[in-house]
Amino acid sequence: MDVFPAGHPLLQAQQLKHTFRTGRCALQSVNVTIHAGEMVAIIGRNGAGKTTLTKHFNGLLKPTAGTVLVGGQDTRRVSVAQLARTVSYVFQNPDHQIFHGRLFDEVAFGPRNLGLSGKELDQRVASALDAVNLAAYVDRDPAELSRGQRKRATIASVLAMKTPVLILDEPTSGQDYQESRQIMAILQQLHQQGHTILLITHDMELVQEQAQRVLVLGDGQLLLDGSPDELFRQASLLQIAGLRRPPIIDLQHRLEELGLTASVPTAESLAAALASRIQQGPSVHVDPTPGRNAACP
Amino acid sequence: MPKITIDNLSFAYPDTSTEALKEIQLTIEPGEFVAITGATGAGKSTLLRCINGIIPHFQPGTLQGAVYLETSAGRSAVGRVSTPHLARYIGSVFDDPEGQIVSPIVEEEIAFALENTGVDPTQMDERIQHALDDCGIAHLRQHPTNRLSGGQKQRVAIAAALALAPSILILDEPTSELDPDGTEAVLHVLSELHRQRGITVIIVEQKINLLAPLCDRLVLMDQGRIVLEGPPRQVLRQADVFTQLGIELPVPARLMHALVKEGALPPLDSPGAPPVPLTVDEAYTLSQALLTGS
């Protein structure tokens, strides 16, 4: 990954426009640059253009107008196979991706195409399956696994590729709480190792906890490029983009009306702030009719 | 309006040594809204399949005990009721919005369910309209199904189930692929059907923070067993069980537990303890009351 030092502009969309054959304009003039080593969440309603945008970064879609550069190269001039060495992709629906009858072969498919074989290949597959808790299923037919397990199988496939960029469409859908945590821990670790990670997600808690940068899409346009904190303070934008604050942020903002703050909002830190205020005695400054409309979209 | 009685139910899938369900005992009253949660492999979906009859009618395995539907006419085990008959009582909706819609146009999708059960064509128009109205998607009647959003597709799936006028709706993670708007729309429809039509709703969900304010009863499952069940405010008192089972405790309840730890509130099992908040609004009201000393 030395090819892409941290901060290097790695994925660039310039005046990107995409119109489908049906005539629907899915992206209109999107400008965005993702730098090497970033962890970026892409959010918005179903149909906002999130998947259309990210499919330009692995070359599955080519711009109708404008330019997309991956590692400085115009995706129109590079094959999808070539781009697969830089960018790997987990689709929203695992069944659009899985095509082998044995889990090992499914996960080994990408690395084999990179020219790996023998022990190195075995090791890659084993550690990828281990990371997503599917080691015991290595010889099973993916069709026999649950949807959540199949989703993790596709995540193992991209882990085995070790590409500089990973794009994941709804990595935690169909997962329970622990599994979601585990997947996020894996991605966090890859991020720390210098991988660039793009997440498409509807899970606002995940956005709040994991992303440094958020791209909000709505009707094919980039509505916001900023931090999760900036996003959660813009009630009108949240409404336009069909998003919700995660409950903990909602609670934090509501308690701010009571003059309570916590630098890292958790239920525990907010409770501690509240408890210490109670010890100071009943407050006379509390407005009995707080500006509820200001905090709740 | 049948009552559902699950009596000592155990089930093992073929060629497995461990039981997916172990000695399940549960009664669901007519018109109850029950939310079931738990980790992957806890047996949630298997339990739903035993209630709607997929087990044993379509899924083989070793079944012990039984699920009964009880009406004023008597009680019958789900395994002994024919599936067309079951379909009139119980409607089912699954997690994948793509996988359960078969028709190109919304109204045809609803009509398909009616045709399959031999509903008189003269009644169809009204039944379709009713079902779409109840799901808040009357405006989508002539829409192509492949142009719908995930949230709209799930509401079409619910409408298709509703057109058969079931008294019980069973849903397996219906919002797992939906955006926040779609999730809210689907849960709103369920809550209205429950409130206004008195339909029994049994839903498996991970999003307990959204379900807790809506449901009458919360059921926590782990490794094939029911570990904890009761009204949400009661169940959410047992934070330790949530931790043990790896289930996320909703933020409002977490705030309350943290306030007890801080000594700002008495222990939750003591007589004067306030009820566990289910929403951010309730958590806010509780915090405000503590601050003003009321």
Side-chain angles (χ1 to χ4, degrees), chain A residues 44-46 92 147 173-179 202 205 242-244 247-248 250-251 254-255 257-258 260 266-268 270-272 274-275 277-278 282-283 286-288 290 292, chain B residues 38-40 95-96 98 147 149-151 173 176-181 184 206 209 243 245-248 251-252 254-255 258-259 262 264 280-281 283-284 287-288 290-293:
Chain A
R45 284 176 212 277
N46 293 338
Q92 178 175 9
R147 189 176 168 89
S173 77
Q175 309 297 322
D176 67 27
Y177 179 61
Q178 297 284 7
E179 289 163 346
H202 294 311
E205 265 155 314
L243 302 167
R244 304 284 181 281
I248 186 64
D250 220 2
L251 183 64
R254 295 297 304 281
L255 293 186
E257 296 168 23
L258 302 176
L260 294 167
T266 62
E268 292 69 29
L270 290 170
L274 185 56
R277 273 281 297 280
I278 293 167
S283 165
V286 178
D287 181 353
R292 190 169 173 277
Chain B
T40 303
D95 57 350
D96 181 5
E98 315 289 331
R147 294 266 193 92
S149 73
E173 305 210 18
S176 70
E177 306 276 330
L178 304 187
D179 61 23
D181 264 1
E184 201 169 276
Q206 297 293 335
N209 60 324
T243 315
L245 304 188
I247 301 171
E248 186 180 24
V251 161
R254 267 181 61 192
L255 179 79
L259 285 170
E262 293 284 345
V280 166
D281 268 350
Y284 171 85
S287 307
Q288 194 184 30
L290 284 172
L291 276 182
T292 51

Side-chain angles (χ1 to χ4, degrees), chain A residues 1-159:
Chain A
M1 280 198 300
D2 330 358
V3 207
F4 305 116
H8 182 88
L10 189 44
L11 307 173
Q12 290 167 277
Q14 297 167 343
Q15 304 285 329
L16 170 60
K17 190 178 168 197
H18 193 94
T19 308
F20 285 114
R21 267 177 298 179
T22 57
R24 192 169 79 86
C25 181
L27 291 175
Q28 27 189 330
S29 198
V30 170
N31 287 295
V32 67
T33 299
I34 313 279
H35 303 92
E38 278 194 291
M39 174 96 123
V40 181
I42 301 174
I43 60 181
R45 284 176 212 277
N46 293 338
K50 308 184 294 291
T51 303
T52 307
L53 173 63
T54 50
K55 278 186 178 167
H56 279 86
F57 291 137
N58 73 343
L60 277 181
L61 293 176
K62 309 291 183 193
T64 308
T67 311
V68 173
L69 304 174
V70 173
Q73 288 182 296
D74 189 328
T75 57
R76 281 202 195 86
R77 301 206 180 86
V78 196
S79 69
V80 174
Q82 197 66 33
L83 284 170
R85 293 173 180 271
T86 308
V87 181
S88 47
Y89 201 106
V90 172
F91 291 91
Q92 178 175 9
N93 186 339
D95 301 330
H96 292 173
Q97 183 162 0
I98 291 173
F99 65 105
H100 281 95
R102 181 171 161 247
L103 186 55
F104 180 90
D105 295 319
E106 181 64 37
V107 178
F109 175 76
R112 271 180 180 142
N113 278 331
L114 295 179
L116 296 184
S117 61
K119 242 188 187 156
E120 198 183 354
L121 179 69
D122 290 351
Q123 261 171 9
R124 281 263 184 120
V125 174
S127 75
L129 285 175
D130 201 38
V132 297
N133 263 354
L134 290 177
Y137 300 90
V138 62
D139 291 320
R140 293 273 287 274
D141 182 343
E144 293 171 13
L145 305 181
S146 75
R147 189 176 168 89
Q149 287 172 326
R150 291 201 299 280
K151 183 84 189 192
R152 275 183 284 149
T154 62
I155 294 175
S157 296
V158 307
L159 294 181

